[in-house]
Amino acid sequence: MYHEQISKKGFFIEPAQKPSGLKFVDRVIKRLFDIAIALIGLVGTSWLILFAYILATIDTRQSGFFTQTRIGRHGKPFRTIKIRTMRKVAQVKTTVTTSQDPRITRLGRFWRRTKIDELPQLINVLLGQMSLVGPRPDVPGFADRLVGPDRIILSIRPGITGPATLVFRNEEELLAQQEEPVRYNREVIYPEKVRLNREYIENYRLWDDFRCLMQTVWN
């Protein structure tokens, strides 16, 4: 039954709240598209991922790969894989990152600006944990705020990029301008991301995935 617990750290979704999500044919085509592009992407960028991993390891003095628990399809937790862009700063604990965050290294800013830090997530795509395009996966504590129709966002795999990601491509700079970035993220940015993500799912077309990928690469 859909209302049973997905995992020990997952969510309960009541039958009345079961999201319709994408049509079966759309889900199959989207998944095949993800696998094909992710394979091509990994073959073409594996050298760059390895190079970035080595430099990030030297730069941060930790593993060049950074993994973090995020919430995926149907509320199931998984570990995202990225190039590490931050070093530890004892007094900074927040998961909300601004462009002025002291944890981001100089080299890390380059990885983030060029989106090279996102490339290892192609592995998450092949593992079936993510999609190329979709809502960005939230950390635990945000996804459980989704209620009613908004839970349709949990009906698909989270994406490396997506409409909300493109709209807020300068999110870190925007947050740096706020007196209370955590509150601004919670009350302004997050609700707008939810609206954009719902709109993407409810009006899904494969062409939108092509468009998002092209805009992500070229912008």
Side-chain angles (χ1 to χ4, degrees):
M1 297 296 293
Y2 203 75
H3 64 276
E4 65 186 7
Q5 189 174 16
I6 303 299
S7 72
K8 292 182 179 180
K9 295 182 180 179
F11 296 92
F12 288 97
I13 301 180
E14 299 299 330
Q17 295 179 309
K18 182 178 179 179
S20 57
L22 275 57
K23 296 178 181 179
F24 175 75
V25 173
D26 288 332
R27 293 200 305 271
V28 171
I29 294 175
K30 182 177 176 66
R31 181 60 187 150
L32 292 175
F33 175 73
D34 283 344
I35 293 173
I37 300 302
L39 280 173
I40 294 172
L42 278 175
V43 170
T45 65
S46 57
W47 65 271
L48 179 57
I49 293 173
L50 178 60
F51 182 63
Y53 165 79
I54 294 172
L55 291 185
T57 299
I58 297 171
D59 183 42
T60 64
R61 298 183 181 180
Q62 301 178 74
S63 169
F65 286 138
F66 170 74
T67 65
Q68 185 179 48
T69 298
R70 296 293 179 105
I71 303 302
R73 189 182 182 197
H74 301 322
K76 184 177 180 179
F78 71 100
R79 302 286 292 184
T80 57
I81 311 169
K82 301 177 70 173
I83 296 297
R84 189 179 296 276
T85 62
M86 295 182 176
R87 62 169 61 94
K88 292 182 180 180
V89 176
Q91 61 269 31
V92 182
K93 302 295 183 182
T94 180
T95 59
V96 175
T97 307
T98 74
S99 60
Q100 304 302 316
D101 197 310
R103 295 173 296 181
I104 304 176
T105 67
R106 181 176 299 180
L107 183 58
R109 294 186 191 282
F110 174 74
W111 301 140
R112 297 167 81 95
R113 185 172 65 253
T114 58
K115 304 301 181 184
I116 290 174
D117 65 315
E118 306 279 0
L119 289 177
Q121 289 176 102
L122 291 172
I123 298 172
N124 291 119
V125 173
L126 288 181
L127 291 175
Q129 299 164 330
M130 293 183 69
S131 176
L132 294 170
V133 180
R136 284 297 295 165
D138 285 318
V139 295
F142 268 92
D144 54 350
R145 297 182 183 185
L146 298 171
V147 295
D150 290 344
R151 292 185 74 82
I152 195 174
I153 292 172
L154 296 176
S155 71
I156 68 171
R157 295 178 179 86
I160 296 177
T161 187
T165 304
L166 291 171
V167 169
F168 290 101
R169 60 169 61 89
N170 297 319
E171 179 179 339
E172 292 182 358
E173 289 77 11
L174 178 61
L175 288 170
Q177 298 170 9
Q178 310 305 316
E179 292 184 2
E180 298 181 72
V182 174
R183 180 178 179 181
Y184 188 83
N185 179 66
R186 182 179 64 248
E187 297 181 359
V188 178
I189 293 180
Y190 184 71
E192 180 62 10
K193 285 183 177 180
V194 170
R195 185 190 70 79
L196 291 168
N197 289 328
R198 275 190 58 186
E199 187 177 83
Y200 164 77
I201 297 170
E202 293 169 349
N203 301 284
Y204 177 77
R205 299 175 303 169
L206 184 61
W207 168 250
D208 291 330
D209 283 6
F210 279 108
R211 180 176 55 82
C212 284
L213 288 174
M214 291 302 98
Q215 290 181 355
T216 299
V217 171
W218 296 113
N219 290 329

